[in-house]
């Protein structure tokens, strides 16, 4: 999209990139704005000058994405958000005299976050064990058994752990540096003890549970790649947060209450935790099949 004074879109993209947005995000903004520009030209037979865009145009474009393109609400809302950011920026810069009224976002039924089923969990653990690295098993267990974030796992120090045969606790500093203590169940304790024996031989002077060769700890990116690689060998397309979602889903489905799960996960708001109580597609399909005459 343009206005008569020049390449305003280029200036907008350059500025949001300068302000710290990733290049991939900037490119996504450009594509989303281009989708609107194409629709506008196809609809009006006019080049889309920014100052000509009206509230009606925005409503019609949103409706077009819903009824004609049949796009998902998340995609529609993302494209509209990019367009709104661009138009508001242009208004602040004085490139447009008035702000159109932006339509409300398209509501969608929230679904529970992606979690691994029992069979998939076993496949992942089997693959980690098959590859023989006790460090990887311990790392995966802390995320999938305890619900820790990948950033929390890699930052664990030995002094944060209290692991025994019949008890286990890990101190975690989560988002906003909030401190919490998370129990460590039996299989995770076993994996950690086995790793600590090997780790003591390889990294005797390190304070970190998962050290790197430079004296610090492995990065969240390292751990993320590790999980993705093992998942790939197990035939799973996953990232670390799927393991955290899996822990939460397992707790809810085995009868844990929301307050307990929220405390373990470090959620400040129970509404964040409540998303795990929503049934997934498989559960809904099973309910319908059982109820069908």
């Amino acid at each position: 999209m343009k206005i008569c004074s020049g390449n305003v879109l280029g200036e907008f993209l350059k500025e949001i990139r300068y302000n710290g947005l990733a290049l991939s995000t900037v490119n996504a903004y450009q594509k989303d704005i281009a989708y609107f520009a194409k629709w506008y030209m196809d609809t009006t037979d006019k080049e889309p000058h920014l100052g000509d865009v009206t509230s009606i145009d925005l409503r019609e474009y949103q409706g077009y994405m819903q009824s004609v393109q049949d796009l998902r609400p998340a995609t529609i809302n993302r494209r509209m958000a990019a367009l709104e950011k661009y138009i508001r920026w242009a208004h602040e810069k004085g490139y447009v005299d008035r702000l159109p009224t932006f339509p409300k976002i398209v509501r969608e039924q929230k679904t529970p976050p992606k979690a691994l089923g029992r069979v998939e969990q076993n496949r992942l653990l089997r693959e980690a064990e098959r590859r023989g690295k006790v460090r990887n098993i311990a790392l995966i267990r802390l995320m999938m058994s305890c619900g820790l974030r990948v950033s929390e796992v890699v930052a664990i120090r030995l002094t944060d752990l209290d692991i025994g045969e019949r008890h286990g606790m890990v101190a975690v500093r989560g988002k906003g540096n909030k401190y919490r203590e998370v129990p460590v169940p039996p299989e995770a304790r076993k994996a950690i003890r086995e790793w600590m024996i090997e780790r003591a031989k390889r990294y005797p002077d390190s304070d970190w549970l998962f050290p790197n060769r430079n004296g610090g700890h492995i990065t969240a990116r390292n751990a993320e790649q590790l999980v993705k690689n093992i998942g790939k060998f197990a035939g799973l397309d996953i990232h670390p947060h799927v393991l955290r979602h899996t822990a939460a889903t397992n707790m809810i489905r085995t009868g844990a209450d929301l307050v307990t799960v929220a405390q373990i996960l470090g959620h400040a708001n129970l509404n964040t935790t409540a998303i795990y109580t929503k049934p997934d597609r498989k559960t809904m399909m099973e309910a319908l099949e059982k109820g069908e005459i």
Side-chain angles (χ1 to χ4, degrees), residues 110 149 175 178 244 258-276:
K110 288 188 175 181
R149 300 178 178 93
K175 284 186 176 181
K178 292 181 180 178
R244 176 172 161 85
L258 281 181
V259 175
T260 299
V261 177
Q263 179 65 29
I264 291 171
L265 297 179
H267 288 164
N269 191 326
L270 284 182
N271 290 333
T272 306
T273 316
I275 187 66
Y276 294 104

Side-chain angles (χ1 to χ4, degrees), residues 20-150:
L21 285 187
L23 181 58
S24 58
T25 305
V26 175
N27 290 338
Y29 270 103
Q30 186 173 15
K31 287 181 180 178
D32 287 340
I33 293 168
Y35 287 132
F36 173 76
K38 183 180 185 305
W39 170 85
Y40 189 93
M41 290 182 68
D42 291 344
T43 304
T44 66
D45 289 325
K46 297 178 182 178
E47 191 170 343
H49 292 276
L50 198 53
D52 295 336
V53 176
T54 67
S55 304
I56 295 174
D57 293 326
L58 296 174
R59 288 202 306 270
E60 287 186 351
Y61 177 56
Q62 186 185 65
Y64 167 79
M65 289 190 288
Q66 283 182 276
S67 59
V68 179
Q69 292 189 304
D70 196 25
L71 298 179
R72 292 186 175 184
T75 302
I76 295 171
N77 293 335
R78 190 200 69 233
R79 290 185 181 181
M80 294 301 295
L83 195 56
E84 181 173 352
K85 185 180 181 71
Y86 176 39
I87 293 174
R88 287 189 181 279
W89 171 88
H91 182 257
E92 290 173 4
K93 294 291 184 179
Y95 291 134
V96 293
D97 297 328
R98 55 168 180 77
L99 271 178
T101 300
F102 299 95
K104 294 180 180 180
I105 65 171
V106 179
R107 298 291 180 184
E108 61 180 323
Q109 181 180 6
K110 288 188 175 181
T111 57
K114 179 183 177 181
L116 300 180
R118 290 293 183 181
V119 172
E120 293 172 320
Q121 293 173 50
N122 288 331
R123 273 166 52 194
L124 180 68
L125 292 169
R126 189 181 301 116
E127 197 59 46
E129 187 174 336
R130 184 177 292 154
R131 301 202 166 267
K133 290 190 176 181
V134 292
R135 181 199 68 174
N136 297 351
I137 298 173
L139 192 146
I140 287 173
R141 274 291 185 185
L142 276 167
M143 288 184 277
M144 194 163 73
S145 296
C146 303
L148 301 189
R149 300 178 178 93
V150 64

